[in-house]
Amino acid sequence: MAFLDITGVRKAYGPNTVVHHVDLAIERGEFVSFLGPSGCGKTTTLRMVAGFETPSAGRVVIDGKDVTPLRPNQRNIGMVFQAYALFPNMTVAENVGFGLKVAGKPPAEIAPRVEEMLRLIKLPQLGGRYPYQLSGGQQQRVALARALAIKPKILLLDEPLSALDAKIRVSLREEIRAVQRQLGITTIYVTHDQEEALSMSDRIVVMNEGRIEQIGTPFEIYNFPRTRFVASFVGTLNLLEATVAPGGGRLEIDGQPVIARDGINGAAPGTSLTVALRPEAITITDAGGDRNRLAGTVEEVSFLGSVIRIRVRFRDNAVSLDTFNDPAIAPPERGKPVTVSFAHGDVHVLGAA
Amino acid sequence: MKRSTVGPWIAFGLGALYFLIPLIATFEFSLRMRRGTYSFDAYAVVFADPRFQASFSYSVLLALITIVLGVMLVVPTAYFIRLRLPKLAPLVEFITLLPLVIPAIVIVFGYLRLYNSSSWLPFTSNARATDLLLAFGYVTLALPYMYRAVDTGMRAIDVRTLTEAAESLGASWATILFRVIFPNVKVAILSGAFITFAVVMGEFTFASLLDRPAFGPYLQLIGANRAYEPAALAIIAFLVTWACMGLLQLVLAGARVARQR
Ligand SMILES: Nc1ncnc2c1ncn2[C@@H]1O[C@H](COP(=O)(O)OP(=O)(O)OP(=O)(O)O)[C@@H](O)[C@H]1O
Ligand SMILES: [Mg+2]
């Protein structure tokens, strides 16, 4: 049995089911992200773990204990909100110590713990300040310290960085991850930013329309998306319409043959399938060997600095690919014919289009 | 081209005169008790009158009770409406506005019918119970101001997220209300309290018809029977109200400064 077990959890508001049958097991100390577009039910699922929403069906078990009927204040969970939610009437130290004070701990025990937490988030000097005297990034770090001070069983973060500007977002996400590793605390992190999820998580749960689309490590999710949705939501994937060639077993894209190493699940000839290709799997400089090759024309060339993004059109389909900017080689010109190539193993068949 | 400010100044001047002339005239009149010279005799008489002291302190006490009852009623109501039943907000807002629409005399006649000495709840059967009924009535009268002040205060903080943050840290409802919500709407509560105080100090209809020795009926009594003292009383009542408003401004300004610091 895993540390956190979410079993058959569903949530409906009146006639609208916003979370359908979610099953998820999270191990102790794991950092798991919920990734998905707006409105897919990430927050709702997280709030059911926290106890702010009651599941319409299913159970939430933490450390062997069924917490489904418990109120949020009985679950011992640390929560960090997008809007910081520091108590404006209390100083930083009072905010961090709030949970301990509520639990009836003596001041002699609270003070050192608050100090320890402030050192953990690298703001040991700011205990006496009020929230309005802090920057957004500092406020969110204090919110993290406040959530961790009570030694919660699980840490829940709902888009904690989305109110901050890009630079702080990157440094703070590294800091959150470092603190999480240091304490070994089981964490669920909600985000709609794929870069955030990919860079921070042990595992990612990709959600769409209230369902889990795929659960896997960032490597698995990025390289082996199992559904069309995951493929299109994570990364800048190329999606191509292919048909099964006459005779079966092979594919055709705009009339040109393509082989998928993993096969096509015995789809009948003439069937339309969607095929996914990572931009970084495609090259225009032919390395030779046994690869798929598609001839097309250069449609668009965008100079992105260290990388040049090239768009190649075949007939109905087009792909984007990235090449490194090599000052010695001029980038291809628009309208020129090119042949792109990619390994058989890089062709991912996503199912019927 | 510079716009002329003469028009606005004239309008402002007329408004100020409309307000100031009666006030100055009343004040001037209140100083004329001693023949041929200005003096504060009328004030001395008023302050020395035991009925003034009694009715004034009675009304102050009643105002304080009204404030406490009103805060206890309004803060949790506004809080739970915001948190749990936002759909009911328009209804509650409408209800809290009713005391401005329904004349006090209608309300008090309703009270007398409902709570007379032969009714189920004979509030008017003895003086203490009637005092309580009067306080309840004042809570109703002050409701529009108190509710609006508190609700505005709650709008300024993110009540829902603060509540959830406190809850996830293990806080109970009572703890959340007293440690998190109350301190953060303190200024709003105070401003509601000052308005309530001013309303109660000047109220006449309820106190008179329920026959309680409040400041309002005393004002009326003196006004009907004396010459100079009513003018002095009017100025005193005005100053009390004005002091309330001044304190209100001070509190609000203090809160603004604190927030900017
Ligand atoms: N209290 C509610 N009543 C009715 N519907 C709700 C309620 N809360 C959420 N929903 C609906 O449930 C769906 C999922 O909402 P949720 O907040 O979980 O999405 P999310 O994945 O967190 O999105 P975002 O990235 O925008 O935060 C949405 O369609 C939303 O409209
Ligand atoms: Mg959300």
Side-chain angles (χ1 to χ4, degrees):
Chain A
M1 183 161 229
F3 186 69
L4 167 64
D5 253 313
I6 302 173
T7 331
V9 161
R10 193 171 70 82
K11 179 69 187 181
Y13 292 107
N16 299 336
T17 303
V18 298
V19 173
H20 304 263
H21 200 89
V22 164
D23 278 317
L24 180 62
I26 297 177
E27 297 302 328
R28 189 187 292 269
E30 224 183 342
F31 189 113
V32 171
S33 294
F34 289 179
L35 175 66
S38 186
C40 71
K42 307 179 295 285
T43 298
T44 307
T45 309
L46 193 79
R47 290 170 61 81
M48 288 192 281
V49 175
F52 295 123
E53 306 283 351
T54 313
S56 309
R59 297 192 311 150
V60 177
V61 178
I62 299 174
D63 202 7
K65 186 174 177 210
D66 187 349
V67 298
T68 324
L70 295 187
R71 301 198 44 75
N73 57 6
Q74 302 166 318
R75 292 192 182 194
N76 195 19
I77 271 170
M79 181 109 187
V80 176
F81 301 84
Q82 180 179 343
Y84 319 139
L86 296 179
F87 306 125
N89 58 313
M90 300 181 202
T91 62
V92 165
E94 284 165 350
N95 264 284
V96 175
F98 182 82
L100 300 168
K101 196 165 169 194
V102 164
K105 296 274 191 301
E109 199 175 313
I110 297 177
R113 178 78 181 152
V114 167
E115 212 170 288
E116 183 191 342
M117 286 294 112
L118 291 181
R119 250 183 288 118
L120 186 71
I121 56 160
K122 305 204 183 79
L123 297 174
Q125 267 75 273
L126 301 188
R129 293 239 192 128
Y130 280 91
Y132 65 85
Q133 296 169 315
L134 302 180
S135 72
Q138 290 172 330
Q139 287 190 52
Q140 198 56 298
R141 282 193 279 173
V142 173
L144 179 67
R146 182 180 67 177
L148 291 170
I150 56 169
K151 298 191 174 150
K153 281 190 171 356
I154 296 184
L155 177 64
L156 306 176
L157 305 102
D158 191 355
E159 311 209 15
L161 305 181
S162 46
L164 300 169
D165 59 55
K167 212 166 173 186
I168 297 170
R169 216 151 50 208
V170 172
S171 68
L172 201 48
R173 82 181 179 213
E174 283 162 8
E175 213 170 300
I176 289 175
R177 181 59 163 145
V179 166
Q180 186 270 338
R181 279 220 173 89
Q182 200 177 330
L183 302 179
I185 185 166
T186 313
T187 302
I188 302 181
Y189 187 99
V190 165
T191 179
H192 58 241
D193 181 337
Q194 53 139 328
E195 195 187 306
E196 228 166 77
L198 290 168
S199 64
M200 296 175 86
S201 321
D202 290 320
R203 281 193 301 158
I204 298 174
V205 177
V206 184
M207 295 184 68
N208 184 31
E209 293 183 348
R211 288 193 176 78
I212 293 181
E213 290 272 336
Q214 187 173 351
I215 306 175
T217 62
F219 186 83
E220 287 164 354
I221 296 282
Y222 190 83
N223 291 309
F224 310 110
R226 231 183 290 137
T227 65
R228 189 197 168 106
F229 174 80
V230 177
S232 61
F233 191 74
V234 181
T236 46
L237 202 69
N238 294 297
L239 294 177
L240 301 153
E241 298 310 319
T243 47
V244 179
R250 281 171 170 259
L251 292 170
E252 270 180 3
I253 291 175
D254 291 343
Q256 305 183 57
V258 166
I259 295 169
R261 192 189 59 202
D262 295 336
I264 53 171
N265 304 326
T271 317
S272 288
L273 294 173
T274 301
V275 159
L277 272 175
R278 294 267 154 227
E280 57 270 29
I282 310 171
T283 61
I284 46 169
T285 46
D286 200 328
D290 195 13
R291 289 164 72 85
N292 289 307
R293 291 186 176 78
L294 289 175
T297 48
V298 176
E299 188 177 61
E300 194 73 62
V301 178
S302 345
F303 189 72
L304 303 178
S306 63
V307 167
I308 298 169
R309 178 157 296 168
I310 302 165
R311 193 166 171 78
V312 177
R313 176 161 292 282
F314 310 116
R315 194 176 66 216
D316 300 329
N317 290 295
V319 291
S320 289
L321 58 108
D322 294 342
T323 60
F324 283 113
N325 172 21
D326 182 348
I329 304 168
E333 282 171 47
R334 287 203 299 149
K336 283 282 162 69
V338 283
T339 299
V340 300
S341 74
F342 44 92
H344 297 161
D346 285 326
V347 180
H348 298 294
V349 177
L350 298 174
Chain B
M1 194 183 84
K2 195 164 168 277
R3 283 272 199 90
S4 162
T5 54
V6 176
W9 274 113
I10 289 176
F12 175 77
L14 283 176
L17 289 180
Y18 185 82
F19 174 74
L20 285 176
I21 289 177
L23 196 66
I24 293 169
T26 307
F27 181 61
E28 197 265 352
F29 185 71
S30 74
L31 299 178
R32 288 213 288 199
M33 195 172 187
R34 194 176 299 172
R35 225 160 273 255
T37 168
Y38 285 146
S39 73
F40 283 97
D41 282 5
Y43 293 85
V45 173
V46 165
F47 283 124
D49 184 353
R51 285 174 307 168
F52 167 81
Q53 291 159 9
S55 66
F56 194 82
S57 43
Y58 177 86
S59 281
V60 168
L61 182 66
L62 214 62
L64 295 179
I65 293 172
T66 305
I67 288 165
V68 171
L69 289 178
V71 168
M72 276 175 11
L73 175 71
V74 164
V75 175
T77 306
Y79 174 61
F80 282 107
I81 291 288
R82 280 209 161 259
L83 197 64
R84 286 288 149 91
L85 300 164
K87 277 192 208 124
L88 286 188
L91 178 70
V92 172
E93 247 165 64
F94 175 71
I95 290 173
T96 59
L97 276 179
L98 284 181
L100 289 185
V101 183
I102 301 173
I105 190 130
V106 174
I107 300 179
V108 79
F109 268 112
Y111 282 175
L112 286 172
R113 281 200 71 120
L114 267 176
Y115 304 121
N116 64 49
S117 47
S118 58
S119 72
W120 280 89
L121 258 176
F123 265 120
T124 52
S125 58
N126 72 62
R128 286 291 83 77
T130 314
D131 291 342
L132 205 59
L133 181 62
L134 187 57
F136 290 154
Y138 284 166
V139 170
T140 313
L141 276 192
L143 206 54
Y145 314 104
M146 192 53 122
Y147 187 83
R148 234 134 295 261
V150 170
D151 195 50
T152 308
M154 292 209 179
R155 191 169 309 151
I157 58 171
D158 187 349
V159 171
R160 170 176 292 266
T161 325
L162 288 184
T163 299
E164 289 181 351
E167 224 181 342
S168 73
L169 293 166
S172 65
W173 283 114
T175 311
I176 296 174
L177 256 179
F178 284 101
R179 295 243 186 102
V180 178
I181 302 302
F182 264 109
N184 285 307
V185 294
K186 204 167 54 190
V187 172
I189 293 176
L190 269 180
S191 71
F194 286 124
I195 299 178
T196 305
F197 190 82
V199 167
V200 171
M201 289 312 289
E203 207 283 332
F204 171 75
T205 315
F206 275 29
S208 167
L209 285 167
L210 290 174
D211 194 24
R212 300 311 303 141
F215 191 53
Y218 172 75
L219 277 180
Q220 193 274 338
L221 180 79
I222 297 299
N225 299 314
R226 308 292 289 259
Y228 299 100
E229 289 87 339
L233 269 173
I235 296 296
I236 293 168
F238 174 78
L239 284 179
V240 169
T241 312
W242 191 82
C244 279
M245 295 302 151
L247 278 176
L248 178 62
Q249 291 304 319
L250 263 176
V251 167
L252 291 177
R256 255 193 305 277
V257 168
R259 203 158 299 154
Q260 277 162 6
R261 231 189 323 138

